[in-house]
Amino acid sequence: MIWILDITMLFFLVVCAIAAISIKDLLSAIIILSAYSLIMAVVWVEMHSVDVGFTEAAVGAGITTVLFIATLARTEGRSED
Amino acid sequence: MSRIQESVIIRTVVRIMVPFIELFALYVIMHGAGGPGGGFQGGVIFGAAIILYAMIYGIAEGKQKMSDALDRILASTGLTIYAGTGLLCLFFGGMFLQYGAVPLIPNDPATVSKYLIDLVEIGIGTTVAAIMISLFFDVSPPESEEGELPEELPDHEGVDG
């Protein structure tokens, strides 16, 4: 375990999570959520859970982003609250 | 047609990439028992390849290659393979998905179980890929503004909060 890498990854994870919920532009929120998933996948692999990391990268960073963006194309793209 | 879809570079790259993504998906599905990967991940990657194609070449073109009827057939076929394998084990006196019970090769339950796990993975992969593709077609914008990506969203000035 490279603990400096772990701490850095977890720090960016928290930054991404806070940014994703506090940003008003929904497209930016989706992309940040995708970055969150990618970092999470690296954290899973770092924790020797390759299978879960694989799933996180394929589903979280891949398909979910595409589905969210496709949904966003039918909406206004800005959060009201 | 949006600006992204007209780009020759993107169209060519997608056309070349899609077969390789699908090949990788098949590798992930078949390699699931021995290493990272499996039916679900492979199915998602396979679905992503078709989704990528449909995003760039247009939803209509994508639906031509992967119609709703074909989607439904594939989704139910995968489920049938999965449940069928499980019930086959029940039929030969084992428990649900207890692969060793099937007397495919006499006195070698380990090998039988290896093959049947692969069969189950194929079933899962087929269903997951079909469901992912139909999910994308369901949420994608309607035909009139086909395949429009949100690069043309009214306004996004970015951060305020």
Side-chain angles (χ1 to χ4, degrees), chain B residues 71-159:
Chain B
D71 247 359
R72 235 168 281 144
I73 291 172
L74 282 182
S76 44
T77 307
L79 192 61
T80 311
I81 293 175
Y82 180 85
T85 312
L87 291 178
L88 194 71
C89 303
L90 272 186
F91 181 76
F92 284 106
M95 286 190 284
F96 189 73
L97 291 178
Q98 188 190 348
Y99 310 109
V102 181
L104 207 64
I105 305 162
N107 305 322
D108 196 1
T111 313
V112 173
S113 140
K114 215 162 62 187
Y115 285 124
L116 287 187
I117 286 176
D118 278 350
L119 195 63
V120 163
E121 300 276 17
I122 290 171
I124 297 172
T126 314
T127 302
V128 170
I131 294 298
M132 288 299 162
I133 294 163
S134 80
L135 265 181
F136 174 72
F137 283 151
D138 284 345
V139 298
S140 57
E143 291 293 317
S144 52
E145 34 175 348
E146 124 199 346
E148 229 166 67
L149 292 172
E151 52 159 351
E152 291 132 62
L153 276 181
D155 55 314
H156 54 91
E157 305 98 46
V159 197

Side-chain angles (χ1 to χ4, degrees), chain B residues 39-51:
Chain B
F40 184 76
Q41 290 96 322
V44 168
I45 295 172
F46 198 92
I50 310 274
I51 288 174

Side-chain angles (χ1 to χ4, degrees), chain A residues 22-25 27-28 50-51 54-55 58-59 63 66-67 69-78, chain B residues 28 36-37 40-41 44-45 51 55 132 135-136 138-142 148 150 153-156 160-161:
Chain A
S22 56
I23 211 158
K24 288 281 185 267
D25 182 41
L27 182 60
S28 312
V50 186
D51 228 347
F54 205 143
T55 313
V59 179
I63 289 288
V66 171
L67 289 182
I69 288 180
T71 314
L72 187 65
R74 311 179 80 155
T75 64
E76 291 183 347
R78 273 191 86 76
Chain B
V28 170
F40 184 76
Q41 290 96 322
V44 168
I45 295 172
I51 288 174
M55 259 167 70
M132 288 299 162
L135 265 181
F136 174 72
D138 284 345
V139 298
S140 57
E148 229 166 67
L153 276 181
D155 55 314
H156 54 91
D160 56 80

Side-chain angles (χ1 to χ4, degrees), chain A residues 2-53:
Chain A
I2 317 158
W3 67 271
I4 294 182
L5 182 71
D6 277 2
I7 300 292
T8 318
M9 285 294 169
L10 292 173
F11 174 72
F12 277 120
L13 207 60
V14 173
V15 170
C16 281
I18 292 172
I21 56 172
S22 56
I23 211 158
K24 288 281 185 267
D25 182 41
L26 291 183
L27 182 60
S28 312
I30 292 170
I31 300 303
I32 292 171
L33 206 62
S34 159
Y36 173 92
S37 274
L38 199 61
I39 297 170
M40 196 65 217
V42 176
V43 173
W44 283 125
V45 174
E46 173 67 20
M47 292 193 287
H48 301 289
S49 180
V50 186
D51 228 347
V52 182

